[in-house]
Amino acid sequence: LAAGLAWSLLPGAPDPLGAMVVGEGTDEAPKNQLRTLSTRQLNAGLAHVKTGRLADAATEFRGAISLDPGNREAYLSLAMALVVGRDTARTRPIVRTVQQRFGAGVTDLAVAGHAAWIDGDVQAAARAWAAIPVARAREAAAAAKKGRRAKAPALPYIAVSRQAWATTLADTPGDSDANLALAQLDLFAGDAAAALKRLEPLTGNLEGARAFAEACLFAAATGQGEKSVVRAIRALAEIEGADSFALQKRLRTLLAPKGAAQPSRVGRAR
């Protein structure tokens, strides 16, 4: 899987994004048939996700959307595939479309925050994540109204990708790429605690420290950890030292509890 993901991001590899044309169906086929075809194409995309072929997956997800613009899972799957490929410019309009058509939900807000984090916009990331508790409550209320469980099952993209990376981790225990990917999927599902547990052992390198800091901020913004801001600052300070000062300042002012004393300096985390 890791090799497949890496290939899809190589310079010169086929553009996994391309142009997406969203239609409203045709007169030649009834809407239920188009929905069936859309679901079939969504599943084809998920099969590519399982083998790490994100470029092919994105193509299938676009096709699923063009067949059925009401296929929310196809939009979310496309957004996750794009942001995992770090193409934030094309992720953002997909997220906006999801929120305009269906309302903001946990996963699209998590994806929006991750895209902002990749772009270095910590405040935008925190704003997106801070909206998750309200979205979660709304989703739970809607599920209860329909007689469903308050906690919905994982989206197919998350479930399929998680299974593939778990297989990689089983074959290669301690694989850092697998743990980083699984932690990101935890955040897409709104579970900061699971992500932090995976990432804490990886803070000895820059990529792991940044992922850990992101998970800490996610936890703080979504109310899943009171001390998460301090942990995020320390994780970055350990790796970047003085270079992280500006980010530390923004994190303190953005997410620290109102009225709390702000530390004048950050010690090294160990």
Side-chain angles (χ1 to χ4, degrees), residues 96-161:
R96 284 196 296 270
T97 299
V98 171
Q99 294 175 347
Q100 289 167 0
R101 281 182 173 269
F102 312 104
V106 172
T107 298
D108 52 88
L109 289 167
V111 169
H114 183 51
W117 175 267
I118 290 172
D119 289 341
D121 192 340
V122 178
Q123 292 178 324
R127 282 196 299 271
W129 295 332
I132 284 178
V134 173
R136 192 194 303 276
R138 185 169 56 246
E139 288 179 352
K145 193 173 183 179
K146 294 179 180 179
R148 299 174 183 170
R149 293 183 303 162
K151 185 176 181 180
L155 287 165
Y157 180 104
I158 295 175
V160 166
S161 190

Side-chain angles (χ1 to χ4, degrees), residues 28-38:
E28 289 75 21
K31 288 185 177 180
N32 61 345
Q33 183 179 353
L34 291 176
R35 291 192 189 101
T36 298
L37 293 172
S38 177

Side-chain angles (χ1 to χ4, degrees), residues 1 39-54 56-58 60-61 77 156-157 160-161 163-164:
L1 175 62
T39 299
R40 189 175 301 167
Q41 202 148 1
L42 170 65
N43 290 335
L46 294 173
H48 290 311
V49 168
K50 192 171 183 178
T51 57
R53 299 168 64 183
L54 294 186
D56 293 332
E60 298 291 352
F61 295 148
S77 296
Y157 180 104
V160 166
S161 190
Q163 182 182 23

Side-chain angles (χ1 to χ4, degrees), residues 240-252 264-265:
E240 299 183 13
D243 293 339
S244 66
F245 176 77
L247 178 56
Q248 293 175 36
K249 184 177 180 180
R250 280 187 290 166
L251 300 188
R252 289 196 190 100
S264 58
R265 61 190 296 273

Side-chain angles (χ1 to χ4, degrees), residues 76-206:
L76 291 174
S77 296
L78 178 58
M80 285 185 278
L82 299 184
V83 82
V84 167
R86 301 182 72 82
D87 196 320
T88 58
R90 288 184 171 103
T91 300
R92 287 190 292 271
I94 298 299
V95 170
R96 284 196 296 270
T97 299
V98 171
Q99 294 175 347
Q100 289 167 0
R101 281 182 173 269
F102 312 104
V106 172
T107 298
D108 52 88
L109 289 167
V111 169
H114 183 51
W117 175 267
I118 290 172
D119 289 341
D121 192 340
V122 178
Q123 292 178 324
R127 282 196 299 271
W129 295 332
I132 284 178
V134 173
R136 192 194 303 276
R138 185 169 56 246
E139 288 179 352
K145 193 173 183 179
K146 294 179 180 179
R148 299 174 183 170
R149 293 183 303 162
K151 185 176 181 180
L155 287 165
Y157 180 104
I158 295 175
V160 166
S161 190
R162 181 176 282 156
Q163 182 182 23
W165 281 112
T167 299
T168 299
L169 195 60
D171 293 338
T172 313
D175 185 284
S176 61
D177 287 341
N179 276 309
L180 286 168
L182 286 166
Q184 192 59 64
L185 292 168
D186 290 333
L187 293 186
F188 288 162
D191 190 347
L196 288 169
K197 185 176 180 180
R198 290 186 192 280
L199 292 170
E200 194 154 15
L202 305 180
T203 55
N205 62 72
L206 181 58

